Amino acid sequence: MTVADTPMNLTRGAHVGISVSDLDASIAFYTALTGRGPVAEGTMDSVPFGISQGLPVAKLRYATINIDGLGIDLIQFTEPVGERTNGKANRPGSMHLCFKVDDFDAVYRRMRAAGYDFLGDDYTFVAGEVTPDAALGTKVAYFNDPDGTNLEIIEPKGGFAN
């Protein structure tokens, strides 16, 4: 039996952790993006927590911003300081955080007017380019946070991305 053959039934998300280089700048960015400020902020200095993450120690500052159904943990490691990943969408191990919106066109226009730098043009899923057909009409656009974490806005259609 392999790990892939053993279902764990993990079906609910609690939070996403994002390593950042400047906690204050990231708090400002995510507060502007979500309209919500941190519900928790603090520091940690722990050898056991570091070991649990494969590090010799974990000295860090953190803040949590809650959005509907998910916490966004912003974590600035002060020891050991990590290197920026410069994540690109096609690099294994990279991830993105997607924000669901009800009116894609209005949100996209507001974000562009506010100076958000999108990675490319917005995109609407069309027939022949995506399966299943439930995704047809879904609108997406991608951008980065100050450290290059991939972010997305989406207005899903049908049963896609619920």
Side-chain angles (χ1 to χ4, degrees):
M1 179 180 283
T2 67
V3 172
D5 296 331
T6 309
M8 294 293 118
N9 301 317
L10 302 178
T11 60
R12 296 181 297 156
H15 68 267
V16 60
I18 302 174
S19 293
V20 303
S21 62
D22 181 335
L23 183 63
D24 298 320
S26 293
I27 289 172
F29 177 87
Y30 282 94
T31 296
L33 186 66
T34 65
R36 298 180 181 182
V39 296
E41 292 183 66
T43 61
M44 179 179 274
D45 181 351
S46 172
V47 170
F49 181 71
I51 291 171
S52 77
Q53 297 205 352
L55 302 169
V57 66
K59 292 184 180 180
L60 56 90
R61 296 176 56 219
Y62 69 89
T64 299
I65 295 176
N66 287 336
I67 59 174
D68 297 346
L70 185 71
I72 302 171
D73 289 353
L74 304 171
I75 307 162
Q76 179 183 351
F77 283 86
T78 56
E79 188 182 323
V81 175
E83 296 178 26
R84 186 175 165 153
T85 63
N86 293 319
K88 296 206 182 271
N90 65 339
R91 291 187 179 169
S94 69
M95 56 80 66
H96 71 270
L97 174 59
C98 182
F99 297 90
K100 186 189 284 189
V101 299
D102 294 325
D103 185 343
F104 179 90
D105 295 328
V107 172
Y108 183 76
R109 280 192 306 271
R110 274 197 331 268
M111 290 179 72
R112 287 190 66 86
Y116 286 86
D117 187 20
F118 287 92
L119 300 176
D121 294 334
D122 60 312
Y123 176 74
T124 302
F125 294 179
V126 296
E129 290 185 335
V130 66
T131 57
D133 286 343
L136 296 179
T138 294
K139 296 179 179 183
V140 297
Y142 297 88
F143 58 106
N144 288 337
D145 77 1
D147 286 299
T149 301
N150 296 312
L151 304 174
E152 174 187 6
I153 56 171
I154 188 170
E155 180 184 342
K157 298 296 181 188
F160 185 70
N162 286 327

